[in-house]
Amino acid sequence: MLQARLAAAQDAWPSKPIKMILSQPAGSGPDNVARLLGDGLGHALGQPLVIDNKPGGQNLIGAQSAARAPADGYTLYFATTAALVTNSYLFKTLPYDPLKDFVPVAFVANSPFAVLVRADSNIASLPDLVAQSQRDPGKLSIANEGPRTFGGMIARLINARAKAQANLVSYSSVGVALQDIIGGHAQAVVADLASSSQLAKQGRLRVLAVTSSKRVPGWEQVPTAAEYLPGVEMTGWMAVVAPTGTAATTVTRLNAEINRLLALPANAEKILAVGPIPSPGGSPKDFEAFLLEEHKRLAQIVGEIGLLPE
């Protein structure tokens, strides 16, 4: 009888509102994408999808809350690279297991990073930046959000791979770092393209390279860092996962609906306007394989740049 009731409950899913937890605050890039996706999912599933922002603690608060939620299909986690991969190599211990506590649902979008300089800078390319850093060791500064952030790791990887000798300067936020570049207080910055693209479009910053494996739509004239430094590929991303134990039928339906929404041209345009690049079409198994590869790659990069967990 119990099994029959459980099966009936799963067949009736969803019969009440669904909650999607985020580790970022309202108004952030991930929040904007999650709300767009949530509106579409709510209509498709016939139940409201409520965004629950739990920022802070380098994603630990939101991730832990989602990991401990019941695996009944009514709690999802809108995760980023930091929560599911990077944190594993930054902390000696975590209050959740990124691989064991979640089941992959759907990949949502890539969020490339970029190396930028002031628009009137005499640095015209990534090779120029490296060459200048080598001519005057420690004089050229690259702003970033700190060694334990994605931007900071990219800056350190460029230094390591190119044998550059740039001074890496940490800032409290990407916004402050970008303003310091414009003000001439640092020569370059590593920032996510979503945060920096408007300043580039306004002619205040110049994009030297993007850190994705391929050139970015709308920025095809900008080379990838890997075209000059093979293997320098670090792209942030967003995805939906659920607590481990969530019914396979629920995961399959969510995956199909998310992929359908991401493939709609109107939704894709809205996401691109925020910055990330939507990536529909993958299955939960595809996402699972991707996660395992990301862990292998990050482990190698963290070892190369000498970043130790704390």
Side-chain angles (χ1 to χ4, degrees):
M1 289 295 291
L2 177 60
Q3 289 182 338
R5 285 199 299 271
L6 289 173
Q10 289 177 3
D11 290 342
W13 180 91
S15 59
K16 62 180 182 180
I18 300 167
K19 177 172 65 177
M20 185 149 66
I21 295 173
L22 269 78
S23 296
Q24 293 76 31
S28 62
D31 178 78
N32 291 332
V33 177
R35 288 181 187 278
L36 173 66
L37 203 60
D39 287 344
L41 274 176
H43 287 298
L45 298 173
Q47 291 289 342
L49 192 145
V50 180
I51 301 298
D52 186 7
N53 300 94
K54 294 183 180 294
Q58 289 186 254
N59 294 273
L60 300 188
I61 296 171
Q64 182 178 2
S65 177
R68 292 181 176 178
D72 56 7
Y74 292 99
T75 300
L76 306 175
Y77 182 42
F78 192 84
T80 60
T81 321
L84 295 186
V85 180
T86 313
N87 276 355
S88 298
Y89 306 95
L90 300 182
F91 295 91
K92 289 181 180 178
T93 60
L94 288 174
Y96 67 98
D97 188 313
L99 290 175
K100 293 181 180 179
D101 288 346
F102 299 108
V103 59
V105 174
F107 192 87
V108 174
N110 285 299
S111 184
F113 276 64
V115 182
L116 306 100
V117 295
R118 208 164 79 165
D120 60 0
S121 171
N122 62 353
I123 300 172
S125 66
L126 190 56
D128 280 353
L129 183 148
V130 171
Q132 185 167 318
S133 79
Q134 292 170 338
R135 283 195 302 270
D136 297 303
K139 294 293 180 69
L140 184 145
S141 58
I142 300 179
N144 61 85
E145 290 184 274
R148 308 179 71 76
T149 66
F150 220 65
M153 285 190 281
I154 291 169
R156 291 178 74 166
L157 184 60
I158 290 172
N159 252 1
R161 289 281 171 92
K163 294 181 172 54
Q165 298 187 56
N167 179 29
L168 307 184
V169 182
S170 299
Y171 283 80
S172 59
S173 71
V174 68
V176 175
L178 291 170
Q179 289 305 315
D180 250 22
I181 292 295
I182 292 170
H185 303 296
Q187 286 72 51
V189 63
V190 177
D192 60 292
L193 196 57
S195 298
S196 55
S197 60
Q198 283 304 114
L199 290 170
K201 289 175 181 177
Q202 292 167 8
R204 302 174 75 187
L205 293 176
R206 178 190 303 148
V207 185
L208 301 183
V210 292
T211 64
S212 48
S213 59
K214 298 178 182 178
R215 295 196 180 197
V216 175
W219 298 90
E220 289 85 356
Q221 77 281 10
V222 177
T224 67
E227 290 175 37
Y228 171 60
L229 297 170
V232 178
E233 299 174 11
M234 289 185 69
T235 301
W237 42 261
M238 305 168 188
V240 177
V241 296
T244 295
T246 300
T249 52
T250 299
V251 170
T252 298
R253 185 173 178 195
L254 283 167
N255 176 270
E257 294 293 356
I258 290 170
N259 280 326
R260 181 185 63 80
L261 289 167
L262 292 174
L264 293 174
N267 287 340
E269 287 177 14
K270 289 176 183 177
I271 293 173
L272 280 168
V274 176
I277 304 166
S279 181
S283 69
K285 285 291 184 185
D286 294 333
F287 182 25
E288 182 179 20
F290 169 80
L291 276 175
L292 294 175
E293 284 301 314
E294 283 285 272
H295 274 270
K296 290 179 184 177
R297 202 164 58 82
L298 257 294
Q300 185 274 323
I301 288 171
V302 166
E304 181 177 350
I305 63 178
L307 191 62
L308 299 175
E310 294 180 352

